[in-house]
Amino acid sequence: MNDVMTRNVVNGIDLDALGEVVETIKRDPGEGMVRFNVTTRWTGQTGTVSKMGDIELGGERIARDFEVRADEPEQLLGQNQAPNPQELLMSAANACMTVGYVAGAAMHGITLDKLEIETSGQLDLRGFLGLDPSVPPGYDQIDYVVRIAGNGTREQFEEIHRAVMATSPNYYNLARPIRMNGTLAVG
């Protein structure tokens, strides 16, 4: 019988493959070390293009060839050609948490019918523009709503929700301060 036909797949997640990854990392924690690389280039006015570099996973290099554009709306001096950095930040958080909800549901044997995360945040441009040193340049809070449906119980979905908040890398990154180690290279 074909191996693909015997795999345990729920919501597009191959649970057998997930189990193999988990066991590999349990045996050798070094296999779970992953480094992501992004280089962002200014394209004029408020536009940028970010190129995703290769990923290093467990000592193995994984080729990546993706680009993400960013721009500001005209009202913020851009050309409105792409999402702005704040929208991309929220998109990255939502996408990361989505992986957690889908995988969590799959591990519970729950087939999802719907999964949507709506995120919003308000910041005060006086902080970004340096007009008032008492105004932070970023968010005091980000609000999000997870709309999820499938053949699971409310209790199962609440357990998955708690697990996502405990294990999602981007949730973690936004929910606490992270050290930013910047180096300036002029010329």
Side-chain angles (χ1 to χ4, degrees), residues 51-66:
K51 174 94 169 118
M52 308 311 128
D54 293 350
I55 294 173
E56 299 168 29
L57 173 61
E60 178 185 341
R61 201 169 220 34
I62 301 168
R64 305 289 281 172
D65 188 24
F66 298 101

Side-chain angles (χ1 to χ4, degrees), residues 46 48 69-72 82-91 139:
T46 61
T48 61
R69 296 190 175 278
D71 194 9
E72 294 286 352
N84 78 6
Q86 299 311 308
E87 294 162 327
L88 292 170
L89 176 74
M90 291 180 193
S91 296
Y139 300 104

Side-chain angles (χ1 to χ4, degrees), residues 83-156:
N84 78 6
Q86 299 311 308
E87 294 162 327
L88 292 170
L89 176 74
M90 291 180 193
S91 296
N94 289 1
C96 187
M97 290 189 296
T98 295
V99 172
Y101 285 104
V102 171
M107 290 188 299
H108 281 82
I110 297 170
T111 301
L112 294 176
D113 298 322
K114 173 184 178 180
L115 175 57
E116 176 181 280
I117 303 173
E118 180 181 344
T119 304
S120 66
Q122 179 174 307
L123 56 80
D124 187 332
L125 289 177
R126 292 178 301 161
F128 167 72
L129 296 171
L131 299 176
D132 184 341
S134 70
V135 175
Y139 300 104
D140 284 326
Q141 72 181 42
I142 293 177
D143 301 307
Y144 69 101
V145 176
V146 179
R147 294 180 184 89
I148 193 167
N151 64 348
T153 66
R154 177 163 190 80
E155 292 76 22
Q156 287 173 312

Side-chain angles (χ1 to χ4, degrees), residues 11-22:
N11 300 321
I13 302 293
D14 183 331
L15 294 176
D16 297 327
L18 177 59
E20 291 167 12
V21 168
V22 168

Side-chain angles (χ1 to χ4, degrees), residues 2-10 14-18 20:
N2 186 336
D3 185 47
V4 173
M5 297 176 74
T6 63
R7 301 299 278 192
N8 184 14
V9 177
V10 180
D14 183 331
L15 294 176
D16 297 327
L18 177 59
E20 291 167 12

